[in-house]
Amino acid sequence: MSRRKLLWASIGAAVCLAIATQVMQRIGQVDTVRLVREATDALSRQDVKTAGDLLDHVLAYDPMNAPALIQRGKLWSSIGDFENAIADWREIIVVSDRIGSQKFASEARLLEGMLQVKRHRALDAERALLEAWELRKSAEMLPSLELL
């Protein structure tokens, strides 16, 4: 085989491989937005098992999915596992630093502060709520009234 034919065969194979890779990635993609929405709906119906399964699926696919971590923290809180709820919400701060958005970090700290108030842990609540306020100010966001 001539060099020219070999070159064209190699280019053709590379193009086919690139196309096949793109197709496989699209087939394998998980619609995380839809799954988090479904988990939120399940949680509002108090279907903890379904919500947990959906959120676990999303987080297995994308461990840094902040909306899924927020919802899973709410799930943990709803069943009384406050330590795991707080751990998920604190993970969002790390995620937010990586993606450069404080929106989810401020919501997570707000949720943690509200949980600490319910647990009668005033100092922890104050720290979390003040940090939530600072994060919201730095992101130039208004407080989330539906959470308050």
Side-chain angles (χ1 to χ4, degrees):
M1 187 181 281
S2 73
R3 283 187 159 159
R4 179 172 267 181
K5 285 182 182 179
L6 186 58
L7 176 66
W8 282 108
S10 298
I11 291 172
V15 168
C16 287
L17 181 61
I19 291 170
T21 302
Q22 288 292 322
V23 168
M24 292 307 292
Q25 285 176 345
R26 288 193 178 156
I27 290 171
Q29 279 184 339
V30 174
D31 186 357
T32 57
V33 173
R34 180 183 56 82
L35 292 176
V36 170
R37 190 176 323 115
E38 288 177 13
T40 303
D41 293 342
L43 196 53
S44 70
R45 294 188 313 271
Q46 298 177 349
D47 184 357
V48 175
K49 169 108 176 72
T50 300
D53 290 345
L54 290 167
L55 293 169
D56 286 345
H57 184 68
V58 169
L59 290 167
Y61 179 75
D62 179 9
M64 295 189 342
N65 187 300
L69 287 167
I70 285 175
Q71 292 304 319
R72 192 170 70 177
K74 289 179 180 180
L75 182 144
W76 288 124
S77 179
S78 74
I79 62 172
D81 190 343
F82 304 128
E83 297 310 314
N84 275 326
I86 291 169
D88 275 349
W89 292 332
R90 287 185 180 166
E91 180 65 23
I92 292 168
I93 294 167
V94 174
V95 170
S96 294
D97 287 343
R98 287 184 191 156
I99 64 174
S101 170
Q102 298 304 316
K103 174 186 175 193
F104 296 113
S106 61
E107 183 176 352
R109 293 301 281 164
L110 179 61
L111 289 166
E112 180 184 345
M114 292 171 25
L115 177 61
Q116 298 293 22
V117 168
K118 287 180 187 176
R119 295 175 70 194
H120 305 289
R121 300 180 79 175
L123 291 176
D124 293 333
E126 180 182 32
R127 265 193 300 270
L129 292 170
L130 286 173
E131 187 176 342
W133 181 254
E134 290 301 317
L135 288 166
R136 285 202 183 271
K137 282 187 353 187
S138 71
E140 298 179 357
M141 299 169 62
L142 297 174
S144 183
L145 295 178
E146 68 273 6
L147 293 174
L148 296 175

